Amino acid sequence: MSEQEGLLAPTPAQTVGPYFAVGLTPKGTDNPLGIAVGNEIEGQGEAIELSGWVFDGGGAIVEDALIEIAQADGGGRFDDPGFLGFARSDNAILPDKRYFFRTVKPGPVTPGQAPYISVIVHMRGLLRQAHTRIYFSDEMASNIADPVYTQLPDERRDSLIALRSTELGSVRYRFDIHMQGERETLFFNL
Amino acid sequence: MNEMAEQAQDGTVYSEAEDQAHQPPYQFAAYRSSLQRGPSQALIHLPSLYDGFEYGQAVEGQAHLGARFRCRDKERDLIRNGSHGGPPIGERIVVSGRVLDANGAPVVGALVEIWQANASGRYLHKVDQHDAPLDPNFLGAGRCISDRDGGYRFYTIKPGAYPWQNHANAWRPQHIHFSVLGNSLGQRLVTQMYFPGDPLLALDPIFGAVPRAAAARLISSFDLGITEPEFALGYRFDIVLAGTRATPAEEDAES
């Protein structure tokens, strides 16, 4: 992937800033634009709720993050004209400043691999987006056999596990994101 | 940036040098909030954890998100999409350009979303308490889908500069926020477009965090061809997303 002759240089990233909700996650009925991308993914598979807090290096809850997810449906299909596996949530969506998604639990995109949700984090103070992944606490047997997960450093890969619970009949996963510190989430570049 | 380079010594695959030449670092001292929010550990290069074929199957490696979104034509006209009976205050402008991949090929069907302050430097957002007037006829948000040439075109008002709390007498240069989603997650870009000749650019730590040569690509250019007679000045802002149209799997098959 070294720089090749003739390739155009990419446009640099800049922070999403504190006011992204104006364009990306507007609320209220008086906004005639509405939204292009919501916080729900509809498709085949087990219905789940996904939420969590984002923490900064000082341990404070980040109140102005934008979280985007991309995933396959329950059958492991991401590339399907009838399924749009992309959603976004800010973390002002719940009163306690968690982000929140209503989606389906993905299946593995390739047989023998663990299921995961790809995550993009944006916020004021983040000069460029950060990519991470969610793996599932009830799939540990698959996780430790997964060719990607097993290559991640032992002491950091736990940061990618979302914890499953069942409350009031709903299947919920909690996935907190730590930007820095002892529990810093493992981030990728693509 | 130096910190990331130093951490790339222990055998794990990290971000490439050219990436750092084109992009801002996660932590940049002059931009205060980056110090507590930018990751401190080195990134792990996800495609390197796959052999080439499998990455094309990964959610991050698949390239089919383009053309999945729809916009109404009026959504790209910020002069009218927030109007409550009158026009917004300010200088009308046209902002247009092409969304391209690294090969220079058009990215068709990209979702292009923008948001910005009004002509007085105020956002329609509850957190923005700058003592400048809101404009009842300006929403400050729009979106469109790139066409078959990768082209997009917005009509809007030139945004005002505004103060922020990063340091004493800090002012953001005039800018328009851009969010672009191309065919894949590798073609996800959030950035800001600036205006030529703005004296605040030299003082801005967000713009200044980008290596100098790369930062020039964030400045739009005045373009008489985009300018509409008797109506509005035109600014060109072309956007290059990482990657190419072919998925990694397809590239491997060809090589």
Side-chain angles (χ1 to χ4, degrees), chain A residues 1-11, chain B residues 98-107 149 183 187 239-248 250-252 254:
Chain A
M1 297 288 281
S2 62
E3 189 153 63
Q4 295 169 42
E5 288 293 320
L7 289 187
L8 297 180
T11 302
Chain B
R98 297 176 72 205
V99 184
L100 304 170
D101 70 14
N103 285 336
V107 178
D149 299 315
N183 288 309
Q187 292 190 334
I239 296 166
V240 179
L241 303 178
T244 58
R245 189 159 188 276
T247 64
E250 288 166 335
E251 287 174 347
D252 279 5
E254 289 164 8

Side-chain angles (χ1 to χ4, degrees), chain A residues 13-153:
Chain A
Q14 293 274 266
T15 179
V16 77
Y19 307 126
F20 64 81
V22 172
L24 302 183
T25 56
K27 301 197 176 53
T29 53
D30 60 343
N31 183 327
L33 273 185
I35 51 175
V37 182
N39 71 329
E40 302 192 0
I41 292 175
E42 294 178 5
Q44 175 229 315
E46 180 186 32
I48 64 170
E49 297 174 359
L50 171 66
S51 66
W53 281 286
V54 181
F55 296 96
D56 72 12
I61 293 173
V62 173
E63 298 188 356
D64 53 3
L66 171 69
I67 307 298
E68 294 180 320
I69 62 171
Q71 63 165 86
D73 69 8
R77 288 177 299 269
F78 182 43
D79 183 3
D80 183 330
F83 174 74
L84 181 56
F86 185 80
R88 61 170 63 131
S89 170
D90 60 34
N91 51 7
I93 201 161
L94 293 177
D96 61 2
K97 305 301 182 186
R98 280 179 295 164
Y99 69 84
F100 179 83
F101 292 98
R102 211 180 291 282
T103 180
V104 295
K105 187 179 177 188
V109 292
T110 310
Q113 296 188 5
Y116 59 86
I117 293 175
S118 188
V119 179
I120 309 177
V121 181
H122 314 259
M123 69 184 76
R124 173 179 65 84
L126 202 56
L127 281 158
R128 53 190 300 201
Q129 68 204 21
H131 291 265
T132 187
R133 271 188 180 181
I134 294 171
Y135 290 86
F136 299 95
S137 65
D138 53 317
E139 298 281 353
M140 287 312 293
S142 301
N143 295 341
I144 59 173
D146 182 82
V148 171
Y149 187 82
T150 51
Q151 290 182 68
L152 303 175

Side-chain angles (χ1 to χ4, degrees), chain B residues 141-159:
Chain B
R143 69 175 78 97
C144 68
I145 305 294
S146 64
D147 64 22
R148 68 179 63 183
D149 299 315
Y152 72 86
R153 191 175 188 91
F154 288 104
Y155 294 89
T156 188
I157 296 294
K158 197 171 190 185

Side-chain angles (χ1 to χ4, degrees), chain A residues 12-13 127-128 180 189, chain B residues 1-9 14-30 34-35 38-43 205-215:
Chain A
L127 281 158
R128 53 190 300 201
Q180 297 177 4
N189 59 342
Chain B
M1 210 152 95
N2 290 333
E3 188 180 344
M4 288 174 62
E6 282 165 19
Q7 287 176 352
Q9 302 297 320
Y14 295 119
S15 111
E16 299 97 336
E18 77 252 27
D19 188 60
Q20 296 187 4
H22 295 308
Q23 299 293 346
Y26 278 118
Q27 295 185 23
F28 188 69
S34 72
L35 299 179
S40 60
Q41 305 253 8
L43 306 183
I206 294 177
F207 175 78
V210 179
R212 186 176 292 261

